[in-house]
Amino acid sequence: QVRLVESGGGLVQAGGSLRLSCAASGTIFTINTRGWYRQAPGKQRELVASIRSDDIINYADSVRGRFTISRDNAKGTLYLEMNSLKPEDTAVYYCNFFMQRSFREERLSYWGQGTQVTVSS
């Protein structure tokens, strides 16, 4: 069983900062891609940022230059540093791992339960 747990969300004023964390536990053989997604009310879930096993990073245009994704392999933790937050960043943020639990298994997508980020104007 693989478990992803996000933390660090909250209420912040526009222009403020938050740091999200995603702690992974369970049986993990290899991780291809780690990512952060968000879903605002009435909207589809969208990719915010991702980091591949070869450290190639991708950001949504809306957050590039304001958000930074990083990982701590030793701790098995994924981070999202969010600066200069805007009201339109308000959403539930989810972490996602695209990974294998063992060499016998196929790659699957695993999700955390989400953490709410609310940015007030």
Side-chain angles (χ1 to χ4, degrees), residues 37-58:
Y37 289 73
R38 67 186 181 187
Q39 188 166 18
K43 295 188 177 181
Q44 289 190 332
R45 190 172 297 189
E46 63 175 358
L47 175 68
V48 175
S50 64
I51 180 168
R52 292 180 359 186
S53 56
D54 57 1
D55 289 329
I56 299 296
I57 291 175
N58 181 45

Side-chain angles (χ1 to χ4, degrees), residues 1-2 4 24-35 51-55 71 73 76 96-110:
Q1 190 76 0
V2 174
L4 303 178
S25 62
T27 303
I28 297 174
F29 175 64
T30 184
I31 302 172
N32 295 84
T33 306
R34 299 167 174 85
I51 180 168
R52 292 180 359 186
S53 56
D54 57 1
D55 289 329
R71 61 180 180 175
N73 288 335
N96 171 271
F97 282 17
F98 186 60
M99 51 164 278
Q100 282 175 281
R101 293 193 303 172
S102 75
F103 71 93
R104 292 188 183 89
E105 297 187 23
E106 63 179 330
R107 295 182 183 91
L108 294 174
S109 198
Y110 293 84

